[in-house]
Amino acid sequence: GYMLAMAACSALIAVAEVVLFGYLGQLVDRLAGADRASFWADEGGRLLLMGAILVIGLPLLQVLFSLIMHQTLMGNMPQRIRWQAHRYLLRQSMSYFQDEFAGRIATKLMQTALAVREVAMKFMDVLVYVSVYFIGALVLAASTDGWLALPFLGWGVLYGLLLWWIIPRIARISEAQADARAVMTGRVVDSYTNISTVKLFSHSSREEAYVRESMEGFLVTVHGQMRLASVQNILLSTLNSLLTFSVTLLGLWLWSRGQVEVGAVAVAVPLALRLGNMSHWIMWEFAGLFENIGTVRDGIGSLALPRMVTDARGAEKLVTQ
């Protein structure tokens, strides 16, 4: 229920922002031919409504969104997952713990709980907000002139293709990175846990090499991730520049032919800039979403193994004295 409430707040915030953009264009058109003496009498009601949305409605939605996210979900959700997973692991057989580093199990427990929270919250927040905002922007541009919506539609298709190409690669490398991080942490914790044995047999050099190997393996996944981030930023910046350029050029051309009013251009260009600025955040959020999906898949593969030893059917509960 709280997740749905958060998604509803995201959708309403996106709708409110698009409505304000749309009214800005109408206001510019009305200002161009308005009688200054009667302007406040003619436009005062609409200005009051939009002012109420801007000053009261949006802040209240942001307050509600923040309360649900930060006071309800952010802290409680991963802790609940950790508790449930810990209870499950405590009932695993001894062979499970003998075959794994204690540090590796603990790391997977901690990072999987956080990753599940991020996947659920990003999906319900970002995906809803982006979908509503983009559809609203498309409708807003098309309501002035169908041609003006074409650059936004083309940008959306190319942006979707970029997501389709880069996100699965991020997910794969994130899964490998989660496993490499768990191995690295497991080896470090194991060295400290057994430090008396290491000192007793003078194995410090061997332990250093053992841990260094895992750190270098982790760094390989980091380098791959950063290469993808560079490609993502370069392609996205180019795509956003093309969107702003094409919207501005097309808007001015349509205005020069008398097909749209100046207000349509005044809305379309800032909307293109706003989408361009948002797109970097959206891309990182989606990348984070699938990065966490990779972490969840890696963690589930280790934590959710079936128990090797289970109670017999009909076994009575043990009574402790």
Side-chain angles (χ1 to χ4, degrees):
Y2 288 116
M3 298 291 290
L4 290 174
M6 186 181 69
C9 285
S10 293
L12 289 173
I13 290 169
V15 168
E17 289 186 9
V18 173
V19 167
L20 288 170
F21 263 112
Y23 178 69
L24 176 64
Q26 296 173 14
L27 185 61
V28 169
D29 287 336
R30 292 191 181 108
L31 285 172
D35 179 8
R36 298 188 183 188
S38 62
F39 174 76
W40 290 106
D42 296 337
E43 197 64 26
R46 282 187 288 265
L47 281 171
L48 188 62
L49 176 60
M50 292 301 153
I53 292 174
L54 182 63
V55 178
I56 300 173
L58 270 175
L60 282 177
L61 283 172
Q62 292 287 3
V63 166
L64 183 59
F65 177 82
S66 181
L67 288 174
I68 294 171
M69 174 179 280
H70 298 111
Q71 303 301 318
T72 306
L73 294 172
M74 288 287 284
N76 294 326
M77 189 175 179
Q79 201 69 350
R80 183 177 182 176
I81 295 167
R82 289 189 192 108
W83 173 239
Q84 291 174 337
H86 177 64
R87 291 181 66 201
Y88 183 84
L89 288 173
L90 283 178
R91 289 160 177 78
Q92 278 285 10
S93 59
M94 283 299 298
S95 61
Y96 174 85
F97 295 98
Q98 290 167 347
D99 294 339
E100 284 277 13
F101 289 119
R104 187 169 185 264
I105 298 172
T107 301
K108 285 186 180 289
L109 173 67
M110 295 300 174
Q111 70 184 18
T112 301
L114 290 175
V116 170
R117 179 194 69 186
E118 291 302 305
V119 168
M121 294 183 68
K122 286 182 190 299
F123 186 82
M124 296 298 287
D125 173 23
V126 178
L127 191 62
V128 170
Y129 178 84
V130 170
S131 301
V132 173
Y133 200 101
F134 179 72
I135 292 170
L138 204 60
V139 170
L140 184 60
S143 65
T144 56
D145 189 280
W147 290 103
L148 205 53
L150 286 180
F152 291 98
L153 189 59
W155 177 87
V157 171
L158 292 175
Y159 189 69
L161 289 173
L162 180 57
L163 285 172
W164 175 78
W165 179 80
I166 205 164
I167 292 302
R169 288 167 171 78
I170 291 175
R172 284 195 294 270
I173 202 166
S174 297
E175 188 172 353
Q177 189 177 88
D179 186 62
R181 185 188 296 112
V183 170
M184 176 180 65
T185 307
R187 290 186 181 185
V188 169
V189 172
D190 189 56
S191 296
Y192 300 153
T193 304
N194 299 289
I195 192 65
S196 58
T197 305
V198 173
K199 297 287 188 182
L200 184 63
F201 291 96
S202 299
H203 280 171
S204 295
S205 298
R206 193 169 75 174
E207 284 298 313
E208 286 176 9
Y210 188 54
V211 172
R212 183 183 177 89
E213 180 190 5
S214 66
M215 289 186 174
E216 289 174 347
F218 176 73
L219 200 56
V220 168
T221 65
V222 172
H223 289 160
Q225 187 183 46
M226 292 303 102
R227 281 192 292 271
L228 282 173
S230 297
V231 171
Q232 168 188 310
N233 280 332
I234 292 168
L235 292 176
L236 191 53
S237 296
T238 304
L239 187 59
N240 290 337
S241 298
L242 288 173
L243 173 65
T244 304
F245 175 77
S246 59
V247 167
T248 305
L249 189 64
L250 182 59
L252 291 173
W253 182 72
L254 291 171
W255 172 79
S256 67
R257 290 169 57 89
Q259 290 183 234
V260 297
E261 298 296 328
V262 67
V265 181
V267 169
V269 175
L271 198 58
L273 290 170
R274 169 72 170 147
L275 276 176
N277 291 332
M278 280 176 55
S279 65
H280 286 278
W281 167 72
I282 295 165
M283 183 70 80
W284 278 112
E285 290 295 315
F286 273 106
L289 172 64
F290 282 87
E291 179 180 337
N292 283 297
I293 287 175
T295 303
V296 171
R297 289 173 60 186
D298 175 70
I300 292 299
S302 297
L303 300 178
L305 296 175
R307 295 174 180 140
M308 300 297 292
V309 178
T310 57
D311 290 337
R313 182 176 295 179
E316 295 182 7
K317 187 176 181 179
L318 291 175
V319 179
T320 56
Q321 298 296 328

